[in-house]
């Protein structure tokens, strides 16, 4: 349990502090349509408010009341996964901590006002289309989700290698 608490105790507050500080900075520095650019214009900084889900997907006029309970349900599932994770599975613990922190960061924005989640990194030109505007919480969720999928894949692979129930039956000869 100490390992779990340590992983969560480091990752969650770091992501939350970075998310709150950068969103607060964006609200001050980018208000009124002011834009900035990083790395010679490679990454523009533009203040936007996302009332929907990822990539601006909306479910009705004030979709935050749809996304708040969905986020709370997701958090319950993530916490259960965290509780049941092995203490030595640092990849899974870190990934779940990142996703939880990002979800809580964006949930805070949805609960505090009707403007939506504060986004400010982007839009980034990919050479063929613009990648939508995002924030630190979104980065944590995305990185955590990729890490979590990797963790599940590695676990399944190890189970198959060690004769788990999903192992293919061996062929018998003659």
């Amino acid at each position: 349990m100490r390992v779990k608490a340590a992983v969560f105790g480091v990752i969650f507050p770091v992501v939350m502090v970075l998310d709150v500080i950068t969103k607060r900075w964006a609200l001050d520095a980018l208000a009124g349509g002011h834009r900035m650019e990083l790395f010679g214009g490679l990454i523009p900084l533009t203040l936007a408010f996302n009332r929907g889900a990822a990539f601006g997907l909306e479910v009705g006029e004030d979709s935050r009341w749809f996304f708040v309970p969905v986020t709370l349900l997701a958090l319950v599932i993530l916490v259960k996964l965290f509780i049941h994770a092995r203490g030595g599975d640092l990849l899974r613990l870190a990934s779940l901590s990142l996703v939880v922190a990002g979800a809580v960061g964006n949930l805070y924005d949805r609960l505090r006002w009707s403007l939506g989640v504060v986004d400010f990194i982007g839009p980034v030109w990919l050479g063929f289309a613009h990648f939508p505007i995002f924030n630190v919480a979104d980065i944590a969720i995305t990185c955590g989700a990729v890490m979590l999928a990797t963790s599940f894949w590695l676990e399944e692979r190890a189970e198959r290698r060690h004769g788990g129930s999903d192992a293919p039956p061996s062929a018998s000869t003659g």
Side-chain angles (χ1 to χ4, degrees), residues 75-143:
L75 286 168
V76 168
I77 293 167
L78 291 165
V79 167
K80 284 186 177 196
L81 284 171
F82 190 87
I83 290 168
H84 294 295
R86 291 185 327 267
D89 191 348
L90 295 179
L91 179 60
R92 181 147 320 157
L93 296 173
S95 66
L96 290 166
S97 298
L98 283 168
V99 176
V100 167
V104 170
N106 284 341
L107 178 63
Y108 173 73
D109 281 357
R110 290 187 200 286
L111 292 172
R112 74 180 172 149
W113 58 24
S114 62
L115 294 174
V117 174
V118 176
D119 289 333
F120 62 94
I121 305 168
V124 177
W125 177 245
L126 301 174
F128 58 91
H130 280 99
F131 189 82
I133 303 172
F134 55 98
N135 61 41
V136 170
D138 296 335
I139 294 168
I141 292 168
T142 303
C143 292

Side-chain angles (χ1 to χ4, degrees), residues 156-157 159-172:
E156 180 183 333
R157 195 170 146 204
E159 285 176 3
R160 286 186 181 186
R161 195 175 324 126
H162 296 339
S165 60
D166 291 336
S170 58
S172 61

Side-chain angles (χ1 to χ4, degrees), residues 1-168:
M1 191 62 170
R2 283 185 176 161
V3 172
K4 289 181 179 185
V7 170
F8 190 80
V10 168
I11 292 174
F12 183 84
V14 167
V15 171
M16 290 302 299
V17 166
L18 285 173
D19 189 54
V20 168
I21 288 172
T22 57
K23 286 175 178 175
R24 191 166 292 164
W25 171 85
L27 287 168
D28 292 338
L30 303 173
H34 185 70
R35 288 178 50 128
M36 294 182 179
E37 295 181 344
L38 298 176
F39 308 113
L42 185 63
I43 300 177
L45 301 176
T46 311
L47 181 62
F49 298 95
N50 181 359
R51 291 186 179 165
F55 307 111
L57 299 173
E58 291 193 28
V59 187
E61 198 162 309
D62 191 7
S63 57
R64 78 178 170 151
W65 298 118
F66 171 79
F67 290 114
V68 166
V70 167
T71 302
L72 292 172
L73 177 62
L75 286 168
V76 168
I77 293 167
L78 291 165
V79 167
K80 284 186 177 196
L81 284 171
F82 190 87
I83 290 168
H84 294 295
R86 291 185 327 267
D89 191 348
L90 295 179
L91 179 60
R92 181 147 320 157
L93 296 173
S95 66
L96 290 166
S97 298
L98 283 168
V99 176
V100 167
V104 170
N106 284 341
L107 178 63
Y108 173 73
D109 281 357
R110 290 187 200 286
L111 292 172
R112 74 180 172 149
W113 58 24
S114 62
L115 294 174
V117 174
V118 176
D119 289 333
F120 62 94
I121 305 168
V124 177
W125 177 245
L126 301 174
F128 58 91
H130 280 99
F131 189 82
I133 303 172
F134 55 98
N135 61 41
V136 170
D138 296 335
I139 294 168
I141 292 168
T142 303
C143 292
V146 169
M147 290 167 57
L148 185 59
T150 302
S151 170
F152 284 130
W153 177 74
L154 290 172
E155 179 181 68
E156 180 183 333
R157 195 170 146 204
E159 285 176 3
R160 286 186 181 186
R161 195 175 324 126
H162 296 339
S165 60
D166 291 336

